[in-house]
């Protein structure tokens, strides 16, 4: 079992890298949606992957959620999978904003597109700061408007060790748009990440 | 007497990064604040010539700080250093009286450019 703990200083460092990457992703999303995106400080949490599904099952209660996954691969063992979770209350509004039709196929297509914009921009921004570069797998939908999404999340999380949970609350000018992003990474990537954070910290 | 410059950012890394990336010819006493509320209480208590201001912060964000500086007609220059790079946001902070906008991470080159442009070094 890999030791997954981060020190406070490493955590602050990672939080700042996430903020910068998230700023780039928001800018991209704002251009994509054609509206201003109010950016909040994204709260990050590092949790064991095994505990993840429980957390989201209780957070989302009985509501259904859609999960979109995107795999990424970097140098020196830094790799993983991002999962975007969408609660669907306000998806119709966003679909209208973007000109997607109001049906299940279009909704899935839209969430895949948004996930792709958000995660690849976010990850590229993160990779750049970590002096790494990522390549990406095509996004895929793990669960669509599913009440049992937690089981699918648990199944996916099983393959990884550490989860970096990023709570994203995007407030568009006129609509609220909530989603959660989870970065799942394996043990050796945790070690690599910590080493990289230490290198960055040593520079300052 | 040397100028006092305030670095306001909630991240320790960002504060250190900025401090270290300031041009060596920039002769100033550097102080720091970790949120907008802290920054304002410093600005109200002592003379600060230049503020490096982050936007997304807990307690009070950078926009709130700029609004207060404007409302109280405080005599300090503000360089916004932010990850929120949307054109709309840049426009907003410039309208609120910021001198310049620097995209995070604040590198030595970017800081030297902007500070040179406005005659701060």
């Amino acid at each position: 079992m890999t030791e997954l703990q981060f020190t406070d200083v490493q955590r602050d460092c990672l939080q700042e890298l996430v903020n910068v990457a998230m700023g780039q992703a928001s800018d991209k999303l704002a251009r994509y949606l054609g509206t201003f995106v109010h950016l909040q400080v994204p709260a990050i949490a590092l949790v064991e992957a095994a505990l993840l599904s429980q957390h989201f099952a209780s957070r989302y209660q009985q509501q259904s959620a859609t999960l979109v996954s995107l795999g990424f691969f970097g140098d020196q063992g830094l790799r993983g999978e991002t999962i975007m979770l969408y609660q669907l209350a306000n998806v119709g509004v966003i679909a209208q904003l973007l000109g997607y039709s109001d049906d299940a196929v279009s909704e899935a297509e839209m969430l895949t597109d948004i996930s792709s914009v958000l995660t690849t921009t976010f990850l590229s921004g993160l990779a750049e700061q970590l002096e790494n570069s990522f390549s990406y797998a095509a996004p895929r939908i793990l669960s669509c408007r599913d009440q049992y999404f937690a089981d699918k999340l648990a199944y996916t999380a099983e393959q990884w060790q550490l989860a970096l949970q990023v709570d994203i609350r995007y407030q568009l000018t006129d609509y609220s748009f909530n989603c959660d992003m989870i970065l799942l990474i394996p043990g050796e990537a945790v070690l690599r990440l910590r080493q990289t954070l230490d290198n960055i910290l040593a520079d300052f | 007497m040397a100028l006092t410059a305030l670095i306001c950012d909630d991240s320790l890394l960002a504060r250190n990064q900025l401090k270290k990336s300031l041009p060596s010819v920039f002769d100033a006493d550097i102080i720091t604040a970790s949120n907008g509320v802290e920054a304002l209480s410093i600005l109200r208590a002592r003379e600060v010539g230049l503020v490096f201001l982050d936007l997304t912060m807990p307690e009070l964000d950078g926009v709130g700080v700029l609004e207060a500086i404007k409302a109280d007609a405080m005599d300090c220059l503000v360089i916004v250093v932010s990850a929120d790079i949307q054109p709309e946001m840049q426009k907003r902070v410039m309208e609120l009286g910021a001198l310049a906008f620097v995209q995070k991470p604040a590198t030595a080159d970017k800081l030297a450019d902007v500070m040179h442009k406005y005659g701060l070094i």
Side-chain angles (χ1 to χ4, degrees):
Chain A
M1 180 76 192
T2 316
E3 181 57 55
L4 299 177
Q5 294 300 311
F6 281 63
T7 64
D8 285 350
V9 180
Q10 287 169 335
R11 207 180 163 287
D12 169 84
C13 181
L14 184 59
Q15 172 82 58
E16 179 61 11
L17 302 187
V18 165
N19 289 355
V20 170
M22 197 49 76
Q24 293 167 359
S26 300
D27 181 49
K28 205 59 176 281
L29 183 69
R31 286 165 203 264
Y32 184 69
L33 297 175
T35 181
F36 180 65
V37 176
H38 179 73
L39 180 65
Q40 295 180 350
V41 182
I44 65 165
L46 293 155
V47 293
E48 281 182 48
L51 303 174
L52 198 64
S53 69
Q54 224 177 336
H55 170 80
F56 281 99
S58 74
R59 178 192 286 196
Y60 286 7
Q61 301 292 339
Q62 294 304 308
Q63 298 176 62
S64 57
T66 293
L67 265 61
V68 184
S69 154
L70 188 122
F72 63 96
F73 314 88
D75 300 331
Q76 299 167 311
L78 206 54
R79 64 189 177 93
E81 178 175 357
T82 61
I83 295 181
M84 301 287 297
L85 281 97
Y86 299 91
Q87 287 169 287
L88 296 157
N90 45 16
V91 157
V93 182
I94 311 289
Q96 215 170 20
L97 194 70
L98 288 175
Y100 287 86
S101 332
D102 188 16
D103 59 65
V105 177
S106 301
E107 181 182 295
E109 194 188 340
M110 178 184 79
L111 292 178
T112 309
D113 290 348
I114 290 180
S115 302
S116 193
V117 168
L118 276 175
T119 46
T120 56
T121 313
F122 173 80
L123 288 169
S124 301
L126 193 61
E128 196 188 331
Q129 297 176 84
L130 295 170
E131 293 184 355
N132 207 303
S133 74
F134 295 156
S135 51
Y136 307 102
R140 62 199 170 95
I141 292 200
L142 296 180
S143 155
C144 197
R145 280 191 179 269
D146 192 343
Q147 278 191 34
Y148 306 103
F149 72 90
D151 295 339
K152 288 174 180 155
L153 184 57
Y155 177 74
T156 305
E158 226 171 56
Q159 306 161 52
W160 310 98
Q161 282 174 295
L162 183 77
L164 169 64
Q165 222 175 282
V166 185
D167 293 339
I168 309 172
R169 293 279 175 272
Y170 281 123
Q171 175 76 44
L172 308 183
T173 313
D174 303 309
Y175 318 100
S176 76
F177 169 73
N178 294 348
C179 58
D180 290 285
M181 184 168 74
I182 303 162
L183 255 75
L184 292 160
I185 58 176
E188 75 265 21
V190 177
L191 298 179
R192 185 72 238 164
L193 179 61
R194 274 202 311 228
Q195 183 60 53
T196 310
L197 294 176
D198 284 342
N199 293 345
I200 293 172
L201 286 163
D203 281 346
F204 296 106
Chain B
M1 200 179 81
L3 174 86
T4 300
L6 171 68
I7 297 174
C8 178
D9 197 303
D10 55 320
S11 160
L12 175 67
L13 174 76
R15 292 196 299 272
N16 288 346
Q17 214 167 26
L18 212 150
K19 203 169 177 175
K20 192 150 179 207
S21 305
L22 286 171
S24 55
V25 291
F26 181 56
D27 180 26
D29 290 331
I30 309 294
I31 53 175
T32 60
S34 60
N35 63 55
V37 174
E38 227 176 89
L40 282 183
S41 71
I42 291 172
L43 291 175
R44 289 188 173 121
R46 58 186 289 187
E47 204 165 301
V48 174
L50 178 63
V51 183
F52 295 95
L53 183 67
D54 181 27
L55 291 180
T56 37
M57 290 183 294
E59 306 288 334
L60 180 69
D61 65 13
V63 170
V65 174
L66 279 168
E67 283 167 350
I69 289 174
K70 196 175 178 185
D72 293 6
M74 290 183 208
D75 188 22
C76 63
L77 300 172
V78 181
I79 295 176
V80 170
V81 182
S82 174
D84 191 347
I85 52 173
Q86 299 177 70
E88 189 88 1
M89 183 54 97
Q90 301 196 23
K91 196 172 146 231
R92 191 160 168 213
V93 299
M94 298 311 278
E95 280 168 2
L96 281 169
L99 182 67
F101 190 101
V102 174
Q103 180 179 345
K104 271 189 178 181
T107 59
D109 286 351
K110 285 188 221 167
L111 289 170
D113 275 357
V114 74
M115 291 172 74
H116 187 255
K117 185 173 170 190
Y118 292 101
L120 294 161
I121 51 169

